[in-house]
Amino acid sequence: MAAMSSIALAAIAVGTAVTAYGQYQAGQAQERALNYQAAVQERNAQIARQNAEYDAQRQSARLRRAIGSQRAAVLASGIQMEGTALELQQDTVQQAEMDRLAILYGGEINYQNARSEAELSRMQGKAAGQAGTTAAFGTVLGGLGSVGVAGKNMGKWS
């Protein structure tokens, strides 16, 4: 009977240890997954910024082509680059610059959003790791209490 009670106490202790280790590992795995997710979000942030810069450069190239076309059309018609023709060209430049800035602003917003998501994922990962450790610690304490109660009920200690 004494051997059976020792085996039962050992089983409780081992079960507690295995459960605690599983909780710890689950927390660590979740933390790694969320850190990976944060890294992906950081890459997405960089891509958003790069895409906006590329689109802004394309907008500038479109502006240069439009100005060239306008100038050629005006000069071909014999009109001087002054007055309405010049105002039209200035308006085109102004509108294109506003579009370019809007593209860059949108890219910066997307960049900042992705960076915020990455930071949130890192915080969640840290919390998950800590939660796993805390759960494991709680399981160990609970298991020790169970071993103590079971041992006392079995007469292992007084």
Side-chain angles (χ1 to χ4, degrees):
M1 185 66 153
M4 289 301 284
S5 60
S6 294
I7 291 172
L9 290 175
I12 292 171
V14 169
T16 297
V18 168
T19 300
Y21 184 71
Q23 290 169 323
Y24 173 78
Q25 288 296 82
Q28 296 305 303
Q30 188 174 6
E31 183 175 7
R32 285 190 301 274
L34 287 165
N35 283 335
Y36 175 78
Q37 181 176 329
V40 169
Q41 290 162 331
E42 287 286 350
R43 279 194 302 273
N44 289 343
Q46 292 300 324
I47 289 168
R49 182 176 270 172
Q50 290 168 349
N51 284 343
E53 289 169 359
Y54 174 77
D55 290 343
Q57 289 172 357
R58 288 184 60 207
Q59 176 64 20
S60 293
R62 281 192 296 273
L63 170 63
R64 288 189 298 275
R65 286 191 302 277
I67 293 297
S69 295
Q70 282 180 354
R71 186 170 290 162
V74 167
L75 293 175
S77 70
I79 300 174
Q80 296 296 316
M81 285 302 294
E82 56 188 31
T84 304
L86 185 58
E87 288 172 5
L88 173 65
Q89 195 168 53
Q90 288 171 340
D91 184 59
T92 300
V93 169
Q94 195 173 39
Q95 291 301 317
E97 180 61 11
M98 288 174 57
D99 289 346
R100 188 184 77 78
L101 292 174
I103 290 167
L104 290 173
Y105 178 74
E108 188 63 23
I109 294 296
N110 290 336
Y111 171 81
Q112 292 299 332
N113 285 341
R115 293 286 313 267
S116 295
E117 290 173 7
E119 187 59 31
L120 178 61
S121 290
R122 278 191 206 89
M123 289 171 26
Q124 289 173 332
K126 185 175 181 178
Q130 291 172 342
T133 300
T134 301
F137 185 68
T139 297
V140 167
L141 288 178
L144 289 174
S146 295
V147 167
V149 168
K152 182 164 177 37
N153 290 341
M154 293 176 188
K156 288 292 186 182
W157 38 83
S158 308

